[in-house]
């Protein structure tokens, strides 16, 4: 994969980079994406497993699935794409990382202050009063909140729910003000997250897409790299460091 020299020149000059990632960044860690042909939503029903109504209908099935996914995610490690993004955070005057992923692999790779638009799969909270709960949940003994009696649920954002207000406000600010916006490993199908790249583009940012497949963003992106993020991102970091060394 050739990294466009023009992109490296731009990255060496600009001050503020925003990166938004989706499930594709974690694919090389062994975590399934959602909308690829072998993705999770090809096998499972999101209405049943990722909505409040599905959870109210059958909380045991939902907890079974999230416990299973927690086990898988718990056995996975960050890949070179996550590490490259963690390295990028010190290469610019301002760097913002926005993710739709719930797996916390960015944080494990060393990224700070990650804006988690879709929550995380590690924590739980009460459906009714929002208090956080740390304990593991067994689908055979579904726990209720000790304060209000509500059902305890995983802290992921489900379809039809609002995104965490603070994370989304900061993500919008990043998109509106960045010089370069990277859209990495996302199908750009799920809103409002998918809108951030367009917000950045309309605000004058250069948009870079890294994805082996074409998405609805592709034709609006200024640079498109059709390859795996675990291959492309370390090359970008390497080229940028080389360029800076030669030009300083
Ligand atoms: P999708 O499954 O919709 O899209 C994953 C994207 O990653 C696809 O466009 C793939 O082509 C791309 N991809 C696959 N392997 C890749 C690799 N090695 N490197 C780079 N890209 C790769 O996942 P998201 O866009 O993240 O919501 O989906 C958005 C939301 O929909 C998720 O956060 C989830 C889901 O329902 C919630 O859980 C709330």
């Amino acid at each position: 994969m050739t990294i466009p020299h023009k992109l490296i020149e731009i990255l060496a000059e600009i001050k503020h980079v925003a990166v938004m990632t989706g499930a594709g960044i974690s694919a090389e860690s062994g975590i399934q994406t959602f909308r690829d042909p072998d993705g999770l939503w090809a096998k499972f029903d999101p209405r049943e497993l990722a909505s409040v109504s599905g959870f109210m209908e059958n909380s045991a099935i939902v907890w079974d699935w999230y416990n299973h996914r927690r086990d898988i995610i718990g056995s996975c490690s960050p890949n070179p794409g996550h590490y490259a993004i963690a390295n990028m955070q010190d290469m610019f005057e301002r760097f913002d990382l926005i993710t739709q992923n719930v797996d916390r692999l960015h944080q494990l790779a060393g990224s700070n202050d990650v804006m988690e638009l879709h929550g995380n799969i590690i924590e739980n909270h009460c459906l009714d009063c929002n208090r956080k709960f740390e304990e593991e949940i067994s689908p055979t003994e579904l726990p209720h909140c000790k304060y209000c009696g509500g059902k305890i649920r995983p802290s992921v954002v489900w379809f039809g729910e609002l995104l965490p207000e603070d994370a989304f406000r900061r993500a919008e600010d990043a998109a509106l003000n960045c010089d370069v916006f990277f859209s990495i490993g996302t199908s750009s199908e799920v809103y409002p997250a998918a809108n951030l790249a367009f917000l950045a583009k309309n605000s004058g940012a250069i948009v870079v897409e890294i994805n082996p497949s074409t998405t609805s963003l592709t034709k609006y992106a200024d640079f498109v790299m059709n390859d795996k993020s675990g291959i492309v991102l370390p090359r970008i970091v390497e080229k940028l460091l080389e360029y800076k060394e030669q030009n300083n």
Side-chain angles (χ1 to χ4, degrees), residues 22-24 28 34-35 41 100 118 157 159 185-187 211-213 229:
E28 290 154 85
F34 295 94
R35 291 174 188 77
W41 295 153
Q100 298 168 84
H118 293 164
V157 174
F159 287 103
T186 174
S187 59
N211 194 317
S213 306
S229 44

Side-chain angles (χ1 to χ4, degrees), residues 103-146:
D103 57 31
R104 293 254 159 115
L105 290 186
H106 283 303
Q107 288 91 331
L108 264 182
S111 286
N112 301 321
D113 209 13
V114 184
M115 299 167 214
E116 293 179 317
L117 294 186
H118 293 164
N120 73 82
I121 201 167
I122 318 298
E123 294 169 337
N124 313 311
H125 67 272
C126 171
L127 185 66
D128 294 338
C129 72
N130 281 325
R131 281 189 179 86
K132 284 188 179 179
F133 288 89
E134 302 286 327
E135 65 260 33
E136 285 203 1
I137 309 295
S138 149
T140 50
E141 289 169 53
L142 292 176
H144 285 82
C145 174
K146 59 185 171 217

Side-chain angles (χ1 to χ4, degrees), residues 21-29 32-37 39-41 46 50 65-66 69 79 99-102 117-119 156-159 163 184-191 193 209-215 225 227-231:
T21 62
I25 185 101
S26 296
E28 290 154 85
S29 293
Q32 278 181 301
T33 61
F34 295 94
R35 291 174 188 77
D36 284 305
L40 292 171
W41 295 153
W65 193 65
Y66 282 95
R69 283 187 61 209
N79 67 57
T99 189
Q100 298 168 84
N101 298 346
V102 297
L117 294 186
H118 293 164
V156 297
V157 174
W158 283 332
F159 287 103
L163 304 194
I184 303 172
T186 174
S187 59
S188 296
E189 294 289 327
V190 175
Y191 284 78
E209 185 178 55
I210 301 174
N211 194 317
S213 306
T214 299
T215 72
M225 277 160 274
D227 210 334
K228 295 177 174 178
S229 44
I231 293 174

